[in-house]
Every structure is written in C-alpha cells, then in structure tokens.
Amino acid sequence: MRTILSALITILLLPIPAADAYVNPATGQTRAGRVLRSFDKPARNWLPGHRGVDLDLQVGRRVLAAGPGTVAFSGDVAGTPTISIDHPDGIRTTYQPVHPLVGTGDRIEEGDVIGVLGHPTTAFPGLQWGARRDGDYINPIGLLPAPTIRLKPLVDA
C-alpha cells in the first residue's frame, strides 16, 4: 500500500491544469467540486451498496492515473466506459465512465492521462472512483493521506 499511497500523495499535490481530474488530499474535494456520493460498502459483494466514491468532475475532462501500474481492463462494462489499473502494492483502482486513452496491458505512470470523462450512467454525475484489495472493496478516499488539522487560538474581539 505504501507504493500507491506515495504515488497518490505525489500526484495529488502536483499542480495540475484545471482541465484534469484532481482530488485535494486535505479536503477530499476535486478541483472542480466535491464528493457527490460516499463509499457505502455492502455487507456482501453481491448486495446493494456503493463500491466507490463519485467525484464532481465535468464531462470531457481528462482523468489522470493516481499511481503507477498496469492497465488491467480498458473497455465497456454493461455499456459504461471503464478503466481498471493494477498497482504494484496489490490495489486495483477503477474509473468510470471514462473513455479510455489506454489499452489493457499498457504500463502507466502516475499522472498519465488515462482517459476522458464521459456522460454519467447513474443519477450521480462525475467520476466514479473505486478500489479493491484482495478482491475486497475498500474506500478509495482511505488511500489519500489524512489531513493535517491545525487549530488557531480563539481571539476575543
């Protein structure tokens, strides 16, 4: 997990043009907006739930790889353009609805453009970002570093 975590920290702290997918590690918000729908892990993998997070991002924006890895899948899943990337630490990240600019088997580096956000296939527009480890769904927001909270002293006016 250290590899993907360090890659996420690196890519998320880089200055990225406004047209790219970007998640602020301190707030969990995208440059274009916020988390639209949170992770809701089902009790069993086949039961209802939400296996990732939906991030506010405009259709047509570029989506970047969060870390280095190999494209495990690039194509359609039930009519939804999808990209899955296997990372060296055993985590697989998935991005939907993203029209791929990469193919299965391609080696990618952090920050590589992997595709372009397509039209939403659910009630929640934006980038659907998921993660799995050992076949188990995990909250992708948990891959981001914890924010540093600094409290300022209360000043009487």
Side-chain angles (χ1 to χ4, degrees):
M1 182 154 128
R2 284 286 179 216
T3 303
I4 186 68
L5 185 57
S6 62
L8 280 167
I9 291 169
T10 302
I11 192 61
L12 297 174
L13 295 178
L14 291 173
I16 298 173
D20 296 333
Y22 171 82
V23 178
N24 182 323
T27 65
Q29 293 186 340
T30 66
R31 193 175 276 214
R34 65 197 184 294
V35 173
L36 299 173
R37 185 175 177 199
S38 299
F39 180 76
D40 180 18
K41 183 177 179 175
R44 300 272 191 248
N45 282 348
W46 62 87
L47 293 175
H50 191 241
R51 293 155 178 82
V53 295
D54 295 345
L55 303 173
D56 190 9
L57 187 67
Q58 299 286 324
V59 170
R61 300 285 177 114
R62 298 181 301 166
V63 178
L64 307 179
T70 302
V71 177
F73 181 82
S74 175
D76 282 356
V77 174
T80 302
T82 303
I83 301 170
S84 292
I85 299 172
D86 285 340
H87 302 279
D89 57 3
I91 292 176
R92 174 178 282 185
T93 55
T94 299
Y95 309 80
Q96 294 179 317
V98 179
H99 295 284
L101 297 175
V102 294
T104 301
D106 286 354
R107 174 85 180 124
I108 53 108
E109 297 299 326
E110 62 186 65
D112 285 353
V113 176
I114 58 172
V116 175
L117 189 68
H119 290 282
T121 56
T122 68
F124 295 92
L127 175 65
Q128 299 166 23
W129 180 38
R132 289 174 50 158
R133 180 187 300 123
D134 300 324
D136 192 27
Y137 295 102
I138 59 174
N139 186 346
I141 297 296
L143 299 173
L144 302 174
T148 301
I149 299 172
R150 294 185 179 92
L151 299 176
K152 295 185 176 187
L154 181 63
V155 178
D156 291 335

